[in-house]
Amino acid sequence: MKNAAFFMGKALEFSSLSIGLSRPNPAVGAVVVRDGLIVGMGRTQIPGSAHAEVMALRDAGELADGADIYVTLEPCCHYGRTPPCTSAIINAKIKRVFYAHQDPNPVVRGNSRKILEDAGIEVFETVEACGGNNPEGVALFAEVERYFEAYDYYVRCKRTFVELKSAVTSNFKMANADKSPLKITGEAANAWNHRLRAISDAVLVGASTVLHDNPSLNVRLCNGNSPVRVVMANDTVLPCNRKIFSVLENVAEPLKNATQVIVFSACEQPELQTFAGHVEVVKLLGKTFCENWKQVIDTLSERGMHRLMVEPGAGLAANIFETGLWNRLDLWVSNFDAEGLVYPKIPECKLVSETKFGNDSLKVFENK
């Protein structure tokens, strides 16, 4: 008999396919379960369309009567662009509701549970909804919390959560963009990197990375939509023959014709006119990097992006650290020395965790 962790895990897995589609709304997944079988699945659609719960209930049809529903986020209970999901759940005669994460919106938080329970529906939330205080349930709940942390931050601060990911050797050297590539981390770290891309709205690199590493910046080692790719070009004129401007793998079908790359540039980008509609050039207006970095964050925040992943070179990392406008640093440290660029000094911050992955260690720092 499959347990709550299995069904909530399926809902979470399905939810990531709405990242990029649903913003500024959170990307939510839901499954309807009857007699131990999934009879309906749903995920959040574009703004103004159905939420995950409604899609799953539609998929289940009459089989929703007396069934359970597992939802990654607390169902909404108010009228916005759509009617409340609590009403749809009640009308479908759902017996039990499991939701993994409490909505940070004060209009919803806690109110949904009362509405559902007043209607005679049994409700389970947070770690209990993920399978309880056992290793499997606790691990899944932690994964859900990680998934929604950027949404929580966006609701509280109306700002995009900025998460940097870097890899260094044991003597704190990075790859030098002007020389041959330096492979620092192993496969486990690379898979982790792609999972972070899959839960991010956008991924940003500097112009040197685009020119010398020629990355695709799409999602390849896990399921999920590829994020919007962002380039901090500054004064560099970019050629049109870089992978970042043409790769469309793992881009959700409704987004195929939307902007896939945003280039923040202080100069004209004549070659990128080839990709009109697919690549957008935003003029940088500041006189300093800090002013321009703030413009980048303001622009992405206004577009409803919850999480920005940054994969910086040494220079870009140093500039971002100096601004103080970042939330987290995920620093991969390998077990060998090498020649390369020296990683910039990490500003005063809090080391919150350190985890070993084979020959690599992941150190996670939170900005104070």
Side-chain angles (χ1 to χ4, degrees):
M1 186 73 174
K2 295 180 174 63
N3 58 17
F6 174 85
F7 296 120
M8 189 63 75
K10 286 295 183 183
L12 180 61
E13 182 182 324
F14 203 45
S15 67
S16 64
L17 297 177
S18 283
I19 292 178
L21 289 171
S22 64
R23 64 173 169 259
N25 295 333
V28 179
V31 298
V32 177
V33 177
R34 183 179 180 130
D35 298 327
L37 298 175
I38 294 176
V39 296
M41 298 185 70
R43 54 183 174 82
T44 315
Q45 303 299 297
I46 62 174
S49 298
H51 290 184
E53 299 92 322
V54 172
M55 294 297 293
L57 292 170
R58 288 177 183 172
D59 192 35
E62 293 181 357
L63 293 176
D65 188 343
D68 300 333
I69 188 168
Y70 291 79
V71 191
T72 54
L73 183 68
E74 183 175 0
C76 68
C77 59
H78 63 293
Y79 281 87
R81 293 188 181 96
T82 61
C85 288
T86 49
S87 296
I89 291 169
I90 293 167
N91 292 337
K93 299 180 181 179
I94 286 290
K95 182 180 180 180
R96 297 189 300 178
V97 173
F98 298 75
Y99 62 82
H101 187 76
Q102 295 176 319
D103 197 313
N105 186 342
V107 175
V108 177
R109 193 179 182 95
N111 294 325
S112 294
R113 177 166 194 154
K114 184 177 186 307
I115 290 170
L116 293 170
E117 289 181 334
D118 286 349
I121 296 173
E122 196 172 1
V123 178
F124 303 86
E125 62 182 11
T126 61
V127 70
E128 188 180 19
C130 292
N133 285 307
N134 55 67
E136 187 179 18
V138 170
L140 178 59
F141 178 63
E143 189 177 351
V144 171
E145 293 294 280
R146 165 81 158 134
Y147 180 87
F148 281 115
E149 65 181 343
Y151 168 64
D152 291 354
Y153 180 82
Y154 184 84
V155 171
R156 292 195 312 270
C157 305
K158 307 303 180 190
R159 303 286 290 172
T160 299
F161 186 92
V162 178
E163 184 162 0
L164 284 72
K165 190 282 301 182
S166 295
V168 297
T169 59
S170 55
N171 58 338
F172 269 63
K173 296 295 180 67
M174 295 187 75
N176 190 334
D178 296 327
K179 297 182 179 180
S180 58
L182 174 62
K183 181 175 173 57
I184 295 177
T185 53
E187 292 305 314
N190 294 337
W192 186 96
N193 181 48
H194 280 264
R195 285 195 295 272
L196 179 55
R197 285 184 188 174
I199 65 171
S200 299
D201 291 276
V203 55
L204 181 146
V205 295
S208 291
T209 297
V210 173
L211 291 175
H212 299 287
D213 291 352
N214 195 19
S216 300
L217 298 181
N218 57 352
V219 172
R220 299 186 299 279
L221 302 181
C222 64
N223 293 324
N225 299 327
S226 291
V228 172
R229 288 151 290 179
V230 183
V231 183
M232 193 71 172
N234 296 316
D235 295 314
T236 302
V237 177
L238 298 171
C240 64
N241 64 349
R242 302 290 85 186
K243 292 178 183 177
I244 195 173
F245 300 123
S246 58
V247 175
L248 283 174
E249 284 93 339
N250 293 330
V251 174
E253 192 61 38
L255 297 174
K256 290 288 187 182
N257 297 319
T259 296
Q260 294 301 322
V261 185
I262 305 173
V263 177
F264 288 90
S265 177
C267 60
E268 298 295 323
Q269 298 287 346
E271 288 198 32
L272 300 189
Q273 295 177 8
T274 306
F275 303 101
H278 173 53
V279 177
E280 177 186 2
V281 178
V282 177
K283 179 74 172 178
L284 288 172
L285 305 175
K287 295 181 180 179
T288 66
F289 180 87
C290 186
E291 291 172 338
N292 287 332
W293 184 245
K294 185 176 183 301
Q295 181 186 343
V296 170
I297 303 306
D298 287 345
T299 300
L300 300 183
S301 300
E302 289 165 3
R303 298 186 183 195
M305 295 192 180
H306 301 162
R307 190 190 308 265
L308 169 65
M309 178 185 179
V310 184
E311 300 188 30
L316 181 57
N319 286 332
I320 294 174
F321 287 157
E322 190 174 345
T323 70
L325 299 175
W326 58 280
N327 297 90
R328 175 178 295 136
L329 167 65
D330 304 310
L331 184 65
W332 287 93
V333 183
S334 195
N335 67 342
F336 67 92
D337 290 352
E339 293 300 318
L341 296 176
V342 178
Y343 194 72
K345 181 181 178 182
I346 300 172
E348 184 178 352
C349 55
K350 182 180 180 182
L351 175 63
V352 295
S353 68
E354 184 170 359
T355 309
K356 192 79 171 174
F357 291 78
N359 293 326
D360 305 316
S361 293
L362 173 61
K363 297 184 177 183
V364 179
F365 299 86
E366 299 276 347
N367 195 7
K368 294 183 178 180

